Amino acid sequence: MPAIELFFGLVAFGAIAGFLAGLLGVGGGLVIVPVMVWFLSSAKLGGDHVQHLAVGTSLAVMVFTSFSSVLAHHRRGAVDWSIVRGMAPGIVLGTFAGSQIAGLIPSDSLKWFFVVYAYAIAAQMFFNAKPTAHRAMPGRLGQLGASGVIGVVSSFVGIGGGSMSVPFMSWCNVPIHRAIATSAALGWPIAVSGAVGYLASGWNVSGLPWGAAGFVYLPAMATLMVLTVLLAPAGASAAHKLPVAKLKKAFALLMAVMASQMLASLLR
């Protein structure tokens, strides 16, 4: 595929990912990872480490996207910073540890994990399946355990964790708009610790393309970072105006299509 088409593909999907990160609180990584897999495979870059580069680059992009998104939510007074303080330590530990483990897992195995996770999240979002809110947020120990699990899974999939942290907070009686905003704030420590972890775990790996710093592909990161930072605040603003429930169904269908494409590549 010509380089110009690859570039414009990154531009288009980067814009979509940034807007969705702010709008739905699910993290643009659910879009960025399959797009990066398509980009790297089409450009014949990455060899046996395509999925590692896709996930690491996604988390690096989310460092900037999450920061931009959380600023927009914070200005609206929607972030519960007490929850952020309670969950951030487990998020950081879980994400960094997970990124080190992921570096030892074959690329196709990480792809299978992404496919299964994407189908599960697509079904959850399409049918609006969520636990009934019937309890308060747990204490520090409970938050540490829950956030650690969220961090590990996020590091395997390359997302900001919103598809897990939003349902968790909703289950604990946190209003949905506050849960989305707080999830955006939690996405930043996930992104930072995950990006650092993938940079470290891939630092001495041979066969990576020019422009890669560990498992972070810098040229694609720079392109996607600019677009997602520009579009995330627009998504956060739209979250207070648009019918989010209907948009989630459309996003769920998009996720199912992307997961199916990745599954087809694994079965070839």
Side-chain angles (χ1 to χ4, degrees), residues 10-23 26-33 35 61-62 65 224 227-229 231-232 251:
L10 273 184
V11 169
F13 282 105
I16 293 170
F19 185 78
L20 290 174
L23 177 68
V26 297
L30 286 170
V31 176
I32 291 175
V33 170
V35 168
V61 171
M62 295 304 295
T65 307
L224 293 169
L227 291 160
T228 53
V229 166
L231 271 294
F251 180 72

Side-chain angles (χ1 to χ4, degrees), residues 157-186:
V157 186
I159 61 172
S163 50
M164 291 173 286
S165 57
V166 170
F168 173 71
M169 284 184 272
S170 296
W171 178 53
C172 297
N173 278 297
V174 178
I176 186 61
H177 282 104
R178 185 164 291 271
I180 290 173
T182 305
S183 171
L186 288 169

Side-chain angles (χ1 to χ4, degrees), residues 65-170:
T65 307
S66 295
F67 189 76
S68 177
S69 179
V70 72
L71 280 181
H73 283 297
H74 175 66
R75 292 190 186 106
R76 293 176 176 270
V79 179
D80 190 326
W81 289 105
S82 65
I83 294 177
V84 174
R85 288 191 293 271
M87 295 184 68
I91 287 279
V92 170
L93 291 173
T95 307
F96 186 80
S99 66
Q100 300 308 294
I101 296 169
L104 305 174
I105 298 174
S107 183
D108 280 357
S109 296
L110 281 181
K111 283 185 180 180
W112 276 108
F113 192 93
F114 184 92
V115 166
V116 172
Y117 185 85
Y119 277 133
I121 294 304
Q124 182 268 324
M125 293 181 72
F126 188 85
F127 295 106
N128 196 30
K130 54 187 177 182
T132 304
H134 68 277
R135 57 161 299 159
M137 285 292 293
R140 286 299 175 94
L141 188 60
Q143 290 184 44
L144 182 68
S147 59
V149 172
I150 291 170
V152 170
V153 175
S154 297
S155 71
F156 282 7
V157 186
I159 61 172
S163 50
M164 291 173 286
S165 57
V166 170
F168 173 71
M169 284 184 272
S170 296

